[in-house]
């Protein structure tokens, strides 16, 4: 499960697994899981439109809810991969679906599970789900009302 030079490999532990042996791993080649502390791996998410995984999150209150952000957006010449949005599993990664309202073609930089869904950061904005992944629309961010402060 090695990554490209200089690229981090997304990893998310299963919060309900007290031994710490169950993790989700997202190298450039898709989503994998290990239930044996990394000694063996099983591929998940074969229906992803893009195989590069940029970030993974597991819901803090429901460890069966797994969110996978596809694509990599590092702003590098050789390390980026287009994304196909966020994929959602409600059965610990056995099956995934992609919400219609979703991140559109951007690589996923960061993803965090919340009690009600997920927050996804891309180079093109912040996307958030408050319905356990049924939708993941763009979230408007506040804008500074005036010119930026002058550096001193």
């Amino acid at each position: 499960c090695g990554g490209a030079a200089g690229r981090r490999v997304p990893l998310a532990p299963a919060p309900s697994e007290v031994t710490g042996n169950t993790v989700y791993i997202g190298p450039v080649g898709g989503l994998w899981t290990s239930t044996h502390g990394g000694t063996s791996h099983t591929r998940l998410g074969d229906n992803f439109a893009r195989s590069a995984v940029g970030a993974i999150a597991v819901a803090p209150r429901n460890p069966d809810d797994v969110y996978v952000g596809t694509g990599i957006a590092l702003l590098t010449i050789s390390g980026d991969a287009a994304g196909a949005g966020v994929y959602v599993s409600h059965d610990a990664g056995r099956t995934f679906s992609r919400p219609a309202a979703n991140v559109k073609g951007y690589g996923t930089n960061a993803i965090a599970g919340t009690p009600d869904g997920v927050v996804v950061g891309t180079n093109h904005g912040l996307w958030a789900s408050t319905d356990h992944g049924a939708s993941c629309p763009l979230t408007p961010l506040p804008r500074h009302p005036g010119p930026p402060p002058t550096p001193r």
Side-chain angles (χ1 to χ4, degrees):
C1 288
R7 180 190 177 276
R8 57 148 176 75
V9 174
L11 180 124
S16 64
E17 222 280 51
V18 295
T19 66
N21 285 330
T22 300
V23 295
Y24 297 92
I25 307 149
V28 174
L31 179 69
W32 299 77
T33 187
S34 175
T35 57
H36 302 92
T39 58
S40 63
H41 301 85
T42 302
R43 185 176 169 91
L44 302 173
D46 285 336
N47 65 331
F48 296 170
R50 305 274 187 192
S51 66
V53 172
I56 307 164
V58 180
R61 290 190 188 158
N62 186 354
D64 286 345
D65 290 352
V66 179
Y67 302 96
V68 178
T70 60
I72 302 164
L74 303 175
L75 296 175
T76 63
I77 294 174
S78 61
D80 291 0
V86 175
Y87 286 81
V88 181
S89 173
H90 296 295
D91 57 13
R94 287 186 289 282
T95 61
F96 282 88
S97 62
R98 183 183 177 279
N102 207 322
V103 177
K104 304 289 186 198
Y106 306 124
T108 305
N109 294 333
I111 191 167
T114 68
D116 298 321
V118 67
V119 177
V120 180
T122 73
N123 286 356
H124 296 279
L126 184 68
W127 310 72
S129 170
T130 57
D131 54 11
H132 300 280
S135 64
C136 196
L138 180 63
T139 301
L141 297 175
R143 297 201 179 271
H144 191 277
T150 304
R152 294 178 186 215

